[in-house]
Amino acid sequence: MRKINTGDVFKTARLLKNTDVMDTVKDAYKAVKKDGADKESIWMDAAMKVLVSCTSQQAEEQLYDLMSGICESKPEDIKNRSLDDLIKDIRRICEENNVANFLRSASDFAEKL
């Protein structure tokens, strides 16, 4: 698994815009800023809300594309991965990256799309 990068910001921005979860990301970012906040739990909750919102075919495909890049696998592999494994991957991404800055950048960009 690689670190998240600039290209992922653009993919995430499009995904956020298509799934209409901007408020979820903004609320998570505000919650993380509070003293004593459990940052990992907050970002995992936000990530799960984004995942659940991927009900359109376009958003689903965008999610597979984003996750396959980060996980260095094929979109089809992400699609066929168990939900438990996908959640583990998301948790690892949250642990190994500055997700707050990443999602703030993606959400700021998505608002301008």
Side-chain angles (χ1 to χ4, degrees):
M1 182 174 296
R2 65 168 173 75
K3 295 282 191 181
I4 51 179
N5 63 35
T6 303
D8 298 326
V9 170
F10 292 98
K11 289 179 181 181
T12 302
R14 288 188 294 273
L15 179 63
L16 292 175
K17 184 158 178 93
N18 287 338
T19 57
D20 197 30
V21 291
M22 296 295 293
D23 289 337
T24 297
V25 173
K26 288 180 182 182
D27 291 345
Y29 188 75
K30 289 176 189 173
V32 166
K33 292 291 187 185
K34 294 179 182 175
D35 288 334
D38 182 356
K39 295 175 185 178
E40 183 181 333
S41 293
I42 292 167
W43 286 122
M44 277 304 300
D45 182 56
M48 292 309 297
K49 287 178 181 175
V50 171
L51 181 65
V52 168
S53 70
C54 292
T55 55
S56 75
Q57 184 69 34
Q58 180 183 10
E60 181 182 351
E61 296 301 324
Q62 288 176 311
L63 177 69
Y64 298 148
D65 182 52
L66 174 65
M67 290 298 297
S68 68
I70 297 169
C71 295
E72 299 178 307
S73 60
K74 296 177 184 175
E76 190 68 24
D77 294 339
I78 299 297
K79 183 177 182 176
N80 294 322
R81 189 168 287 169
S82 74
L83 184 57
D84 286 340
D85 287 344
L86 182 61
I87 291 169
K88 287 177 189 173
D89 289 340
I90 292 169
R91 181 169 282 117
R92 185 173 167 200
I93 292 166
C94 290
E95 291 170 355
E96 295 179 3
N97 294 274
N98 187 340
V99 177
N101 285 340
F102 172 76
L103 287 176
R104 182 179 46 100
S105 297
S107 63
D108 287 348
F109 183 70
E111 286 183 326
K112 293 171 179 52
L113 290 176

